[in-house]
């Protein structure tokens, strides 16, 4: 494990070298806003706050997390798209690539209104239930839902969120019917699961890890082909008998289009270094694993572009249309 971490660190450092040289051309003179387009407590909020402190130390100015929730991340994302392209506003939004597949009228261009800064990491979603829900594994949950169509509530993080998308994928592969309830972010969605207001959901690992470990939520499966090191006792989707339930969120960090290249380079170097420094905490607290290969703006935006196509294709195949 240590050798893998060292290799990752060396790969990231090698990729950051040219950016660090360019970064000397621009330094912020006031705090930088990191906009999280969801309520506090969700995965983007947790990941953003882990990274913000380290990035602020590197930039020499605080990186302040600002929550702008609403419309499944659309409100906060539009705010960033319309913000001055001066380096003082950055977005972190794991739902960025899924929104066009689920929202009929997006008030910004997902690709052309932004420039890539970094990717904070990758993390699978979790199929989880309130412990009072009479299902101790994925097969029992599916049987329960099929026997009671439309009677159980699913906790979504909002229309267009990754949780919404993961829920639609689960609905399609499990051939079940349930009530999709949209909350104003991952935090409120998980709170609804814990309280029993919603009986099950597919929350992000970051927003549900503490509740699963503490027993407030029952994890039935991890939405990946292999178990997660953060939840080693929870079966993978393949082991749980739902091999098609594979959904891994990623956390792109973006600036408004038109931000000058030296500023983007400085932000990219700072945030990518902060992500590298914060890797152990990201994994332990959020189940998020950073990966090399997303050091340039084009690499970040190509990942977003691929995500838009993948999510749209999956949902259209499942019969889901934008709302």
């Amino acid at each position: 494990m240590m050798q893998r971490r060292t290799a990752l660190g060396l790969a990231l450092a090698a990729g950051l070298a040219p950016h660090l040289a360019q970064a000397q051309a621009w330094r912020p003179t006031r705090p930088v806003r990191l906009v999280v387009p969801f309520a506090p407590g969700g995965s983007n909020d947790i990941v953003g706050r882990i990274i913000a402190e380290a990035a602020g130390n590197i930039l020499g100015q605080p990186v302040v997390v600002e929550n702008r929730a609403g419309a499944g991340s659309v409100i906060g994302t539009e705010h960033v798209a319309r913000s001055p392209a001066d380096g003082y506003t950055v977005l972190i939004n794991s739902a960025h690539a899924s929104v066009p597949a689920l929202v009929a009228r997006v008030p910004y261009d997902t690709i052309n209104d932004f420039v890539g800064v970094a990717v904070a990491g990758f993390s699978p979603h979790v199929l989880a239930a309130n412990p009072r829900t009479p299902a101790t594994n994925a097969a029992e949950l599916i049987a329960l839902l099929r026997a009671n169509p439309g009677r159980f509530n699913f906790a979504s993080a909002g229309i267009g969120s990754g949780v919404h998308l993961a829920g639609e994928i689960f609905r399609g592969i499990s051939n079940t019917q349930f009530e999709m309830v949209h909350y104003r972010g991952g935090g409120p969605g998980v709170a609804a699961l814990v309280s029993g207001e919603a009986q099950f959901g597919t929350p992000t690992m970051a927003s549900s890890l503490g509740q699963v470990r503490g027993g407030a939520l029952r994890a039935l499966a991890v939405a990946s082909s292999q178990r997660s090191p953060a939840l080693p006792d929870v079966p993978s989707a393949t082991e749980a008998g739902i091999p098609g339930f594979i959904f891994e969120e990623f956390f792109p960090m973006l600036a408004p289009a038109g931000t000058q290249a030296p500023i983007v380079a400085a932000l990219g170097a700072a945030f990518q270094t902060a992500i590298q420094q914060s890797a152990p905490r990201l994994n332990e607290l959020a189940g998020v694993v950073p990966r090399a290969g997303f050091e340039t703006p084009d690499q970040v935006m190509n990942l977003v572009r691929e995500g838009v196509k993948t999510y749209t294709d999956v949902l259209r195949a499942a019969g889901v249309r934008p709302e």
Side-chain angles (χ1 to χ4, degrees):
M1 180 62 71
M2 185 60 68
Q3 290 179 337
R4 290 178 62 188
R5 289 181 179 175
T6 301
L8 173 61
L10 291 172
L12 287 170
L16 293 177
H19 292 284
L20 289 170
Q22 294 181 56
Q24 298 175 357
W26 182 82
R27 298 280 288 180
T29 58
R30 63 179 190 271
V32 174
R33 294 185 305 150
L34 180 58
V35 175
V36 173
F38 296 102
S43 60
N44 291 273
D45 184 67
I46 294 169
V47 171
R49 291 181 188 278
I50 290 173
I51 296 169
E53 183 177 357
N57 291 335
I58 295 165
L59 288 169
Q61 290 287 339
V63 174
V64 181
V65 173
E66 180 178 310
N67 297 91
R68 285 181 171 262
S73 81
V74 170
I75 289 176
T77 303
E78 182 183 16
H79 171 76
V80 174
R82 307 293 175 245
S83 294
D86 56 8
Y88 291 96
T89 305
V90 177
L91 172 75
I92 179 169
N93 182 11
S94 63
H96 192 67
S98 62
V99 166
L102 291 164
V103 179
R105 290 177 292 277
V106 181
Y108 52 81
D109 188 306
T110 302
I111 304 299
N112 295 322
D113 283 347
F114 300 90
V115 60
V117 172
V119 176
F122 297 75
S123 178
H125 282 241
V126 181
L127 178 63
N130 179 283
R132 295 189 296 276
T133 302
T136 60
N137 56 52
E140 290 179 0
L141 176 65
I142 292 172
L144 183 68
L145 295 173
R146 287 177 178 171
N148 300 274
R151 290 186 57 188
F152 289 91
N153 289 345
F154 175 100
S156 164
I159 296 173
S161 67
V163 178
H164 180 189
L165 180 57
E168 295 292 1
I169 293 172
F170 175 77
R171 191 203 304 265
I173 65 168
S174 63
N175 191 28
T176 55
Q177 298 179 34
F178 45 83
E179 188 69 26
M180 181 78 70
V181 182
H182 297 292
Y183 294 88
R184 289 176 62 85
V190 168
L193 284 174
V194 171
S195 71
E197 182 177 301
Q199 289 73 49
F200 80 107
T202 54
T204 62
M205 190 169 290
S207 62
S208 61
L209 200 54
Q211 289 79 2
V212 170
R213 287 172 174 168
L217 287 181
R218 178 184 293 144
L220 307 180
V222 174
S224 63
S225 58
Q226 297 181 335
R227 295 195 180 202
S228 166
L231 290 174
D233 296 329
V234 179
S236 68
T238 303
E239 293 172 316
I242 44 175
F245 182 53
I246 306 297
F247 188 81
E248 182 180 59
E249 71 172 339
F250 62 94
F251 297 84
M253 306 184 73
L254 313 169
T259 304
Q260 295 180 3
I263 298 177
V264 175
L267 291 172
F271 280 107
Q272 290 165 31
T273 302
I275 291 163
Q276 178 186 344
Q277 293 175 351
S278 305
R281 291 185 67 209
L282 287 170
N283 192 16
E284 173 63 23
L285 299 179
V288 172
V289 179
R291 293 178 189 166
F294 306 100
E295 289 76 42
T296 70
D298 284 347
Q299 288 173 328
V300 175
M301 295 312 299
N302 283 339
L303 179 66
V304 173
R305 190 176 289 105
E306 291 168 4
V308 171
K309 183 181 186 307
T310 298
Y311 299 153
T312 301
D313 289 348
V314 167
L315 288 174
R316 297 302 172 268
V320 178
R321 295 291 181 266
E323 299 178 7

